[in-house]
Coordinates of all heavy atoms in Angstrom, one line a residue:
L740 N -158.0 28.9 -77.9 CA -157.0 28.1 -77.3 C -157.5 27.5 -75.9 O -157.4 26.3 -75.6 CB -155.7 28.8 -77.1 CG -154.6 28.0 -76.5 CD1 -154.2 26.8 -77.3 CD2 -153.3 28.9 -76.4
R741 N -158.1 28.4 -75.1 CA -158.6 28.0 -73.8 C -159.7 26.9 -74.0 O -159.7 25.9 -73.2 CB -159.2 29.2 -73.1 CG -159.8 29.0 -71.7 CD -161.3 28.6 -71.7 NE -162.1 29.4 -72.6 CZ -162.7 30.6 -72.3 NH1 -162.4 31.2 -71.2 NH2 -163.4 31.2 -73.2
D742 N -160.6 27.1 -74.9 CA -161.7 26.1 -75.1 C -161.1 24.8 -75.5 O -161.6 23.7 -75.1 CB -162.7 26.6 -76.2 CG -163.5 27.9 -75.7 OD1 -163.5 28.1 -74.5 OD2 -164.0 28.5 -76.6
A743 N -160.1 24.8 -76.4 CA -159.5 23.5 -76.8 C -158.8 22.8 -75.6 O -159.0 21.6 -75.5 CB -158.5 23.8 -77.9
I744 N -158.2 23.6 -74.8 CA -157.5 23.0 -73.6 C -158.6 22.5 -72.6 O -158.4 21.4 -72.1 CB -156.6 24.1 -72.9 CG1 -155.5 24.4 -73.8 CG2 -156.2 23.6 -71.5 CD1 -154.6 25.6 -73.3
Q745 N -159.7 23.3 -72.4 CA -160.7 22.8 -71.5 C -161.3 21.5 -72.0 O -161.6 20.6 -71.2 CB -161.8 23.9 -71.5 CG -162.9 23.6 -70.4 CD -162.4 23.8 -69.0 OE1 -162.0 24.9 -68.6 NE2 -162.3 22.7 -68.2
D746 N -161.5 21.4 -73.3 CA -162.1 20.1 -73.8 C -161.1 18.9 -73.5 O -161.6 17.8 -73.1 CB -162.3 20.2 -75.3 CG -163.5 21.1 -75.7 OD1 -164.3 21.3 -74.8 OD2 -163.5 21.5 -76.9
Q747 N -159.8 19.2 -73.7 CA -158.8 18.1 -73.4 C -158.8 17.8 -71.9 O -158.7 16.6 -71.5 CB -157.5 18.6 -73.8 CG -157.3 18.8 -75.3 CD -157.1 17.5 -76.1 OE1 -156.2 16.7 -75.8 NE2 -158.0 17.2 -77.0
L748 N -158.9 18.8 -71.1 CA -159.0 18.5 -69.6 C -160.2 17.8 -69.2 O -160.2 16.8 -68.5 CB -159.0 19.9 -68.9 CG -157.7 20.7 -68.9 CD1 -157.9 22.0 -68.3 CD2 -156.6 19.9 -68.1
T749 N -161.4 18.2 -69.8 CA -162.6 17.5 -69.5 C -162.7 16.1 -69.9 O -163.2 15.2 -69.2 CB -163.8 18.3 -70.1 OG1 -163.8 19.6 -69.7 CG2 -165.1 17.6 -69.8
E750 N -162.0 15.8 -71.0 CA -162.0 14.4 -71.6 C -160.9 13.6 -70.9 O -160.8 12.4 -71.3 CB -161.8 14.5 -73.1 CG -163.0 15.1 -73.8 CD -162.8 15.3 -75.3 OE1 -161.7 14.8 -75.8 OE2 -163.5 16.0 -75.9
G751 N -160.1 14.2 -70.1 CA -159.1 13.4 -69.4 C -157.9 13.1 -70.3 O -157.1 12.2 -70.0
K752 N -157.6 14.0 -71.3 CA -156.6 13.7 -72.2 C -155.3 14.4 -71.9 O -154.3 14.2 -72.6 CB -157.0 14.1 -73.6 CG -158.1 13.2 -74.2 CD -158.5 13.6 -75.6 CE -159.6 12.7 -76.1 NZ -160.0 13.0 -77.5
L753 N -155.3 15.2 -70.8 CA -154.1 15.9 -70.4 C -153.7 15.4 -69.0 O -154.6 15.1 -68.2 CB -154.3 17.4 -70.3 CG -154.5 18.0 -71.7 CD1 -154.8 19.5 -71.5 CD2 -153.3 17.8 -72.6
P754 N -152.4 15.3 -68.7 CA -152.0 14.8 -67.4 C -152.2 15.8 -66.2 O -151.5 16.8 -66.1 CB -150.5 14.6 -67.6 CG -150.1 15.6 -68.6 CD -151.3 15.7 -69.5
T755 N -153.3 15.6 -65.4 CA -153.6 16.5 -64.4 C -153.4 15.8 -63.0 O -153.8 16.5 -62.0 CB -155.1 16.9 -64.5 OG1 -155.9 15.8 -64.4 CG2 -155.3 17.7 -65.8
A756 N -152.9 14.6 -62.9 CA -152.8 14.0 -61.7 C -151.7 14.7 -60.8 O -150.7 15.1 -61.3 CB -152.3 12.5 -61.9
A757 N -152.1 14.9 -59.5 CA -151.2 15.6 -58.6 C -149.9 14.8 -58.4 O -150.0 13.6 -58.2 CB -151.9 15.9 -57.3
V758 N -148.8 15.5 -58.3 CA -147.5 14.8 -57.9 C -147.4 15.1 -56.4 O -147.1 16.2 -56.0 CB -146.3 15.4 -58.7 CG1 -145.0 14.7 -58.2 CG2 -146.5 15.2 -60.2
R759 N -147.6 14.1 -55.6 CA -147.7 14.3 -54.2 C -146.4 14.0 -53.5 O -145.6 13.1 -53.8 CB -148.8 13.3 -53.6 CG -150.1 13.6 -54.2 CD -151.1 12.6 -53.6 NE -152.5 12.9 -54.1 CZ -153.6 12.4 -53.6 NH1 -153.5 11.7 -52.6 NH2 -154.7 12.7 -54.2
K760 N -146.1 14.8 -52.4 CA -144.9 14.6 -51.6 C -145.2 13.5 -50.7 O -146.2 13.3 -50.1 CB -144.6 15.9 -50.9 CG -144.3 17.1 -51.8 CD -144.0 18.3 -51.0 CE -143.7 19.5 -51.9 NZ -143.4 20.7 -51.2
A761 N -144.1 12.7 -50.4 CA -144.2 11.5 -49.6 C -144.7 11.9 -48.2 O -145.4 11.1 -47.5 CB -142.9 10.8 -49.5
Q762 N -144.3 13.1 -47.7 CA -144.6 13.4 -46.3 C -146.0 13.9 -46.1 O -146.5 14.1 -45.0 CB -143.7 14.5 -45.8 CG -143.7 15.8 -46.5 CD -142.7 15.9 -47.6 OE1 -142.4 14.9 -48.2 NE2 -142.2 17.1 -47.9
E763 N -146.7 14.2 -47.2 CA -148.1 14.6 -47.1 C -149.0 13.5 -46.6 O -149.0 12.4 -47.2 CB -148.6 15.2 -48.5 CG -147.9 16.5 -48.9 CD -148.5 16.9 -50.2 OE1 -149.0 16.1 -51.0 OE2 -148.4 18.1 -50.5
K764 N -149.8 13.8 -45.6 CA -150.7 12.8 -45.1 C -152.1 13.1 -45.6 O -152.9 13.9 -45.0 CB -150.7 12.8 -43.6 CG -149.3 12.3 -43.0 CD -149.4 12.2 -41.5 CE -148.0 11.7 -41.0 NZ -148.0 11.6 -39.5
L765 N -152.5 12.7 -46.8 CA -153.7 13.0 -47.4 C -154.6 11.8 -47.3 O -154.2 10.6 -47.4 CB -153.5 13.4 -48.9 CG -152.6 14.6 -49.1 CD1 -152.4 14.8 -50.6 CD2 -153.2 15.8 -48.5

């Protein structure tokens, strides 16, 4: 299961974008 998830993460097929707070100054 881990390997299948890792493949999906590597290929960009899972939503990994950070949800940022408005007050964060990044």
Side-chain angles (χ1 to χ4, degrees):
L740 179 59
R741 182 271 315 277
D742 292 344
I744 293 171
Q745 188 70 64
D746 288 343
Q747 294 283 303
L748 290 170
T749 301
E750 294 171 9
K752 294 181 178 179
L753 295 177
T755 59
V758 180
R759 301 182 176 192
K760 297 179 181 179
Q762 64 268 28
E763 291 180 337
K764 294 183 179 179
L765 301 175

